[in-house]
Amino acid sequence: MNNKLEKLVQNLFKERVIKSEIVKQVLLSVDRKQFVDESDKINAYEDYPLQIGFNATISAPHMHAYSLELLKDNLQNGVRALDIGSGSGYLCAAMFLMMKQQQSKVIGVEHVPELVEKSIKNLSLSYNKQLQDKQIQIIKGDGRLGFEQEGPYQAIHVGAAAETIPQKLLEQLDKGGRMVIPVGKGNQVFQVIDKDQNGKINIQNVLGVRYVPLTDLNKQLYN
C-alpha cells in the first residue's frame, strides 16, 4: 500500500469529504502520482491543485472526492459518463472504477492536443486494456460541445468553470442523469444539475470554488 496516498485518503475520510466506502476505495486505487508532471511527483499526495501545463491543472484531491460523491449513484447505475476538460486523465480512471455495468464507458473531452496525448500515456500505465477496449476514451474537442456520439450520459463532470451552463451538455445529460459543473466568471459556484424523467432541469448551488475557465483553446493558451 502507498502510505502517502493512504494518508491523504484517510484524512479526506476523517474530514467527511469522502463519505462512502466506494469513493474511498477508488481514490486509493487511482494513483495520483501517475497523473502529475515529473516535477510535481513529490507533491502528488498534497491536497491542492497542480499545474499540468498549457494553463491547465489537475484538481485538488478534495474536489475529486467531492465530485465523485455527488456523482456516485449515477456512476454506479449508469453506462455512460462524460468528463469535460479531462486534462491529466485522472478523473476518467476514477469515474470508470465507480461504474458497475459491463458495458460502462467514460469519455474524456480535452481541447489541448498535448494533454490528450499526455493523458492517454498516463492512463496506459494502469488502464491500457480499458483504452484498447474503448471503455475509456480521450477525445480532442471543445468541451462546451460535449461528445454527442456517445450520449446521453448518466453522469457528467466538468473540470473548468463555464460562464453559463453549456446548452449542449444539458442536451446530452440523460433523463435521471446528474452533472456537476463550476459556473461563473469571477465568483464561481459549483452546481449540481439533475434532469428528471420528464426532462425537467433542477439546479443546486452547493459550494464556492475557483477553477480555470472553460473557454476556447486560444484563450486558454494565450490569455
Side-chain angles (χ1 to χ4, degrees):
M1 178 64 75
N2 182 322
N3 289 336
K4 289 184 178 179
L5 177 58
E6 187 174 20
K7 183 179 178 183
L8 169 66
V9 172
Q10 289 292 358
N11 284 341
L12 292 174
F13 192 70
K14 282 179 192 171
E15 291 164 10
R16 299 291 295 156
V17 178
I18 298 173
K19 297 181 171 70
S20 64
E21 189 62 27
I22 185 169
V23 170
K24 182 180 176 183
Q25 291 306 318
V26 164
L27 291 184
L28 286 170
S29 298
V30 183
D31 190 351
R32 192 171 187 246
K33 194 173 184 178
Q34 289 184 6
F35 295 87
V36 303
D37 288 355
E38 197 64 41
S39 59
D40 267 322
K41 289 196 184 296
I42 192 170
N43 302 313
Y45 307 119
E46 301 297 332
D47 190 18
Y48 48 72
L50 295 170
Q51 293 289 329
I52 55 172
F54 310 97
N55 291 324
T57 62
I58 179 172
S59 293
H62 72 268
M63 283 310 303
H64 282 148
Y66 189 69
S67 297
L68 290 171
E69 287 287 355
L70 288 170
L71 292 170
K72 176 183 64 181
D73 293 341
N74 297 77
L75 288 168
Q76 288 188 279
N77 298 317
V79 293
R80 289 289 184 276
L82 181 65
D83 183 26
I84 297 298
S86 51
S88 69
Y90 174 91
L91 205 65
C92 288
M95 290 170 83
F96 180 79
L97 291 184
M98 295 280 291
M99 301 175 84
K100 298 298 184 188
Q101 310 301 321
Q102 263 193 329
Q103 66 272 42
S104 295
K105 185 177 285 192
V106 177
I107 306 294
V109 179
E110 174 54 59
H111 65 178
V112 179
E114 293 88 347
L115 289 181
V116 172
E117 291 178 23
K118 184 187 283 190
S119 62
I120 291 171
K121 184 179 177 183
N122 294 340
L123 286 160
S124 69
L125 296 172
S126 298
Y127 305 94
N128 200 45
K129 183 179 188 303
Q130 288 83 0
L131 288 170
Q132 289 178 347
D133 293 345
K134 297 192 180 300
Q135 289 185 286
I136 299 176
Q137 294 182 50
I138 307 296
I139 306 295
K140 182 187 174 299
D142 186 333
R144 296 168 296 184
L145 303 178
F147 191 66
E148 196 171 356
Q149 293 93 312
E150 290 286 353
Y153 301 95
Q154 291 80 49
I156 299 177
H157 170 268
V158 183
E163 288 189 26
T164 59
I165 301 165
Q167 183 60 33
K168 287 288 187 183
L169 298 184
L170 288 175
E171 291 170 5
Q172 291 168 39
L173 184 63
D174 199 6
K175 289 177 180 177
R178 170 172 282 190
M179 171 163 56
V180 295
I181 177 172
V183 178
K185 194 171 181 181
N187 295 322
Q188 299 171 6
V189 63
F190 205 63
Q191 295 189 334
V192 177
I193 301 170
D194 292 303
K195 182 185 283 189
D196 71 16
Q197 295 299 334
N198 297 315
K200 183 182 176 185
I201 297 293
N202 179 63
I203 300 173
Q204 302 174 64
N205 294 337
V206 293
L207 192 68
V209 290
R210 188 173 181 183
Y211 275 73
V212 297
L214 184 66
T215 186
D216 64 52
L217 183 56
N218 282 335
K219 280 186 181 176
Q220 178 170 330
L221 294 180
Y222 304 115
N223 201 357

